[in-house]
């Protein structure tokens, strides 16, 4: 409880292995709130500090409870057994245009499909805002689950990716969109 008698949100987190490296998952009472790539040492600590600051709660390590479903679904996704996540999501780390774009991505670009930055901008009523869509992808607090790896350049290039281009290639290859590199 804070000084006004309001309960503070609680955040549970865990680092789980995946075929693209360790992922930090965090969830609140509302649902999965954060997925962080390459979650070793300093990356993990920076992510936890960010959650502490932005959510006003002390993250508690726990691989059960709120995160059990997320861990199970992500494991099935990386095993090629799950195409659609059914997790409750907490959108509180995203707002405005970014949230609008991410929600459209979540419902409008299915497994195995890709969309261009400009096309996604047009879908949310902002044609010509491709760069703003790129910024929204870069701020995505729920990568993999809200699949920003499915957003590519209109000319066929990969575009950018917060988890690194190799991670983006591997996620697209997992979904059958982009072949794995030969060497």
């Amino acid at each position: 409880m804070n000084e006004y008698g309001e309960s503070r949100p609680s955040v549970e987190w865990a680092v789980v292995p995946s075929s693209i490296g360790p992922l930090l998952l965090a969830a609140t009472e509302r649902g999965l709130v954060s997925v962080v790539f390459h979650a070793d040492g300093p990356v993990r600590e920076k992510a936890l500090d960010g959650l502490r600051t932005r959510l006003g709660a002390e993250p508690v390590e726990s691989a059960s409870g709120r995160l059990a479903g997320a861990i199970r679904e992500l494991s099935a996704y990386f095993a090629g057994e799950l195409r659609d996540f059914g997790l409750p999501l907490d959108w509180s780390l995203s707002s405005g245009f970014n949230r609008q774009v991410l929600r459209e991505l979540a419902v409008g670009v299915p497994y195995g499909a890709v969309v261009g930055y400009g096309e996604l901008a047009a879908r949310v009523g902002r044609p010509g805002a491709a760069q703003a869509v790129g910024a929204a992808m870069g701020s995505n607090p729920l990568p993999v689950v809200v699949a920003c790896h499915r957003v590519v350049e209109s000319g066929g290039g990969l575009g950018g990716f917060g988890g690194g281009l190799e991670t983006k290639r591997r996620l697209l290859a997992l979904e059958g969109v982009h072949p794995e590199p030969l060497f």
Side-chain angles (χ1 to χ4, degrees):
M1 293 274 199
N2 66 17
E3 62 188 280
Y4 303 106
E6 301 163 329
S7 63
R8 292 175 54 174
S10 63
V11 181
E12 294 180 14
W13 69 275
V15 174
V16 297
S18 77
S19 62
I20 57 170
L23 299 173
L24 182 142
L25 308 178
T28 66
E29 302 87 11
R30 293 181 192 157
L32 188 67
V33 71
S34 181
V35 176
V36 177
F37 294 114
H38 315 297
D40 286 325
V43 171
R44 180 185 64 239
E45 293 310 312
K46 182 178 178 185
L48 292 173
D49 285 344
L51 289 169
R52 208 174 276 118
T53 301
R54 294 189 67 198
L55 296 175
E58 183 60 39
V60 176
E61 188 172 11
S62 173
S64 61
R66 293 184 193 145
L67 290 171
I71 292 169
R72 191 171 40 256
E73 286 198 20
L74 281 160
S75 178
Y77 171 80
F78 285 111
E81 300 165 357
L82 179 81
R83 291 176 168 239
D84 298 308
F85 291 98
L87 301 169
L89 302 178
D90 179 341
W91 292 95
S92 62
L93 295 177
S94 172
S95 63
F97 177 77
N98 289 359
R99 184 184 293 185
Q100 182 184 12
V101 170
L102 292 171
R103 284 182 180 260
E104 173 59 30
L105 174 64
V107 298
V109 185
Y111 182 99
V114 294
V115 64
Y117 293 95
E119 181 183 338
L120 192 52
R123 287 187 188 186
V124 298
R126 297 271 309 272
Q131 286 184 321
V133 167
M137 295 305 103
S139 73
N140 181 4
L142 296 162
V144 182
V145 177
V146 177
C148 53
H149 60 274
R150 297 179 188 152
V151 183
V152 297
E153 294 176 345
S154 60
L158 287 178
F161 194 64
L165 290 182
E166 183 56 29
T167 299
K168 187 171 187 171
R169 281 187 196 92
R170 292 175 71 188
L171 289 167
L172 290 171
L174 173 69
E175 295 187 13
V177 176
H178 194 274
E180 287 278 6
L182 297 174
F183 33 82

